[in-house]
Structure formats: structure tokens, C-alpha cells
Amino acid sequence: MKISKGFVLREVSGANGEVSNVVITVGAAAKKLNGMITLNDTCALIWKMVEKGCDELEIATEITKLYDVSLDEAKADVIDVINRFKEIGAIDE
Amino acid sequence: MMFICCVADLYIAVNYKYEYTKKVFNNYIVENAVDIDFTVTVTDEMINYEIEVAKEGLEDKTVDIFPSSVENTAIFRRISSELMKNYDGLLFHSSAISYNGNAYLFAAKSGTGKSTHTNLLRKYNGEIRHINDDKPFLRYIASENKFYAYGSPWQGKHGRGENVKVPLKAICLLNRGETNSIEKINSLKCLADIIKQTVKPETEEEADAIFATLSRLVSTVDFYRLYCNMSDDAAATSFNEMIKG
């Protein structure tokens, strides 16, 4: 599992130190996503861990360290988010 | 053939093939330049690409697109890209006006009526002038922590604009509405609208450059959202609430 070629996650910071996680496409990937999507902090973390080559279980384990959730709950959420990334063509198997 | 032009405070040498191109650049051409910032050399490949892009937008694909008519678009694409990658700038598709030494940009999807609105504004207050009605360039000047809006040779279908440089005060996202209202907005929440007005990055390096510039833009310039119809009251709303203040 990896992030598809041409999808990039970047941070945009506003006036009061507020930060927005934005995914856009470059080059030919623009055909898959026109415009951009905004990710909340957890989704951005999942994205960055997929980039590093982590699997669902590794990502879920990391999330249980940061939030008060069980491993099963975290895993279900991670799979849900990853499926949504797949729907927009942002993840290759 | 070659000419030197000055666009967005950059001296650009342009190697071109068609006479029409030089006419497009008309009052941006300079006779003497000390230092050239970069050179654009138009190739057949660049022209063919522009012909493809132009045809994509046409219903009838058999219509001939003349290379002479798209050469300037190829140059425009290169200048926008250089500006974005190396000069803290970007193209911002919008209708740009100036009033009292400040620039205001009106951005919206094509066909919403940004040109109509800026034209209403000029009728409303005779001191308002067009910087550029379609494709102004923006640049961040670090030493002043300020953005400037620049006129460009691409002035839209009404040909409105001047070769000027004006400090950028605010960007207004324009939507059609039954009645007229305007409010200041959190620019980070409307990034999706902002990002659509500029050039799509081709590489990750370009994406990095554009996000760096956008981060500066959303933290140094005021953003507004305007809902407006086509009446004189629409101009009064944006003038009194955004421009005059």
C-alpha cells in the first residue's frame, strides 16, 4: 500500500498560527482529483504513515497512543479513512 | 526573433516566432534591460501543447487553431511557472482593481460576473481603475512583508488593464446572490476556492513553491466573501464594506 504518484500532502499556515492539511495533485494525477481536499490532523497522520510504508495495524497502534481509543476502534477508523483515500485514487495497493 | 519585456518586475527575454505575439506584449516591451532574469524560448512542442489545450475547450474539434494565436499563451504558461518556482509569485485568475493606492482582487468561477462587478465599481466611483480584468500576477516582496498585484499583457476579453504595480490589500471571493452582502472570512477555510484561481503545479517542487506563497498570501492579505446581484447596490456593498474602509 502506498500513496499514488502525483498526490501530495502539504501544510498551509494562516495568520494566527492555524494550520490546514491540504492534498492536491500534480501532473497527470490532476485527472483523478481536480482541486484539493482538506484533512483533519488524524487523517493527515494516517496519510503520512501510509507514505512511510506503514500498514493498518501499525497506524492504528500509533493512534491508540495519541487518543483514548481501543485498538479495534482505531483499526476500524484507519481502514475507513484508507478506503476513502482509495476511493479518490490516492492509494495504490 | 527576440524581445525583452518587463512583467511583474522581472526582465524576461522572449524568443518567439510569430509577429502577433509581440503585439500582445505591446506596452510591456522594454528597449534596454541591464540584467535578464530569465529567458523563454518557444518550441514547437510548447505550441502543439497549447493547440491541444485550446481544442479541449471547443465543441467543434475540427476548427483550426493557428500557432500564431497560441504562442503568447505558451509564453504566459512559462512566465507563470517561473514566477511560482523562483520569484515568490503566482498568477491569480481574477479581476483586479486599484483605489487609493491599494489593490483589490475579485475572484470567482468563470461566468459568475467578476468583470461585471468591477465594471459596476468603476461606475460607482470614478477613481477606481482596472489593474487587470483577468490574469494579474502577484508577488510577495519579503523585505516589505507585502504582496503586490501587477498588470499583465493578458487582460481578458474586454482588454481592461494597465502596466502597473499596486500593493495588494484584499481578495474578495464573489458569489451570485439574490441580495448583496459581504463578510470578512477565515482564508484557510476557503483555500479550495483560492487554489482554483492559480496555475496547477506540474511537479512536487512547484507544489512546494505554491504552498509557500499561498501560506504567505492567506496570512498577509484580507479575504472577503461577497454575495451579489448585478445592481448598483452590489458595487455600493463591496465599496463601503471592503474598499472604502
Side-chain angles (χ1 to χ4, degrees):
Chain A
M1 178 169 72
K2 62 177 173 47
I3 300 295
S4 308
K5 187 175 178 343
F7 280 79
V8 296
L9 168 66
R10 292 291 185 274
E11 285 182 355
V12 180
S13 39
N16 40 13
E18 213 184 333
V19 170
S20 189
N21 304 293
V22 178
V23 171
I24 60 153
T25 48
V26 297
K31 288 197 173 71
K32 292 192 198 167
L33 173 71
N34 187 14
M36 53 159 261
I37 48 173
T38 307
L39 303 183
N40 66 24
D41 289 345
T42 313
C43 291
L45 174 71
I46 295 170
W47 181 285
K48 286 173 193 164
M49 291 189 76
V50 172
E51 270 180 335
K52 284 182 195 150
C54 301
D55 64 21
E56 287 89 343
L57 185 60
E58 288 168 319
I59 300 171
T61 310
E62 184 66 26
I63 285 176
T64 59
K65 287 195 277 177
L66 301 169
Y67 301 94
D68 185 19
V69 286
S70 71
L71 184 60
D72 282 347
E73 284 171 316
K75 209 176 159 192
D77 287 345
V78 168
I79 290 170
D80 189 38
V81 170
I82 286 176
N83 281 336
R84 285 204 259 163
F85 290 162
K86 283 178 183 166
E87 277 167 31
I88 59 163
I91 287 186
D92 291 332
E93 295 295 333
Chain B
M1 295 185 283
M2 197 266 274
F3 63 74
I4 296 164
C5 60
C6 182
V7 176
D9 275 344
L10 296 169
Y11 288 94
I12 307 161
V14 178
N15 292 306
Y16 68 110
K17 294 176 179 160
Y18 301 98
E19 208 46 55
Y20 172 66
T21 300
K22 196 172 174 185
K23 291 178 184 159
V24 173
F25 279 80
N26 185 21
N27 49 357
Y28 289 82
I29 290 177
V30 291
E31 294 305 324
N32 304 301
V34 192
D35 287 311
I36 302 294
D37 290 291
F38 62 94
T39 300
V40 177
T41 301
V42 180
T43 62
D44 289 340
E45 196 189 353
M46 285 160 70
I47 294 209
N48 290 337
Y49 176 79
E50 295 305 332
I51 291 175
E52 288 304 309
V53 172
K55 280 196 174 168
E56 264 174 42
L58 291 176
E59 295 253 322
D60 180 1
K61 308 287 180 203
T62 62
V63 172
D64 276 335
I65 307 275
F66 295 102
S68 58
S69 71
V70 296
E71 187 178 45
N72 75 85
T73 319
I75 297 165
F76 166 75
R77 209 177 289 277
R78 279 293 311 281
I79 293 177
S80 305
S81 165
E82 280 292 327
L83 195 64
M84 170 166 85
K85 281 187 290 189
N86 300 321
Y87 301 98
D88 298 330
L90 42 90
L91 159 81
F92 202 87
H93 179 55
S94 59
S95 182
I97 55 153
S98 66
Y99 174 76
N100 206 10
N102 289 312
Y104 302 86
L105 311 186
F106 290 83
K109 272 189 286 196
S110 293
T112 308
K114 47 188 182 291
S115 290
T116 307
H117 186 76
T118 50
N119 219 29
L120 282 173
L121 272 168
R122 282 181 62 178
K123 283 185 193 147
Y124 183 81
N125 186 305
E127 287 172 39
I128 293 175
R129 299 178 69 93
H130 267 107
I131 297 169
N132 186 285
D133 198 23
D134 192 42
K135 293 183 172 73
F137 287 117
L138 306 183
R139 268 185 86 187
Y140 175 71
I141 304 300
S143 57
E144 302 176 48
N145 189 29
K146 228 186 234 179
F147 271 87
Y148 282 87
Y150 295 83
S152 87
W154 300 276
Q155 303 189 138
K157 60 182 175 213
H158 307 291
R160 296 181 186 128
E162 291 177 74
N163 184 355
V164 291
K165 164 190 183 180
V166 185
L168 177 59
K169 186 83 186 292
I171 295 179
C172 181
L173 304 172
L174 188 146
N175 301 76
R176 273 198 202 162
E178 293 289 317
T179 56
N180 300 303
S181 65
I182 188 167
E183 57 170 349
K184 214 168 178 174
I185 48 172
N186 178 335
S187 49
L188 271 187
K189 295 225 159 62
C190 55
L191 264 181
D193 291 310
I194 298 167
I195 227 163
K196 273 186 212 145
Q197 309 306 326
T198 188
V199 178
K200 290 185 80 65
E202 287 296 321
T203 63
E204 290 205 24
E205 290 69 32
E206 287 186 4
D208 286 335
I210 226 169
F211 277 110
T213 305
L214 280 178
S215 287
R216 290 199 177 109
L217 188 68
V218 299
S219 47
T220 46
V221 170
D222 292 333
F223 283 78
Y224 292 82
R225 191 178 292 279
L226 168 71
Y227 288 90
C228 67
N229 53 38
M230 305 290 174
S231 71
D232 292 343
D233 180 55
T237 302
S238 61
F239 184 80
N240 290 321
E241 302 294 325
M242 179 176 76
I243 297 172
K244 193 178 78 182

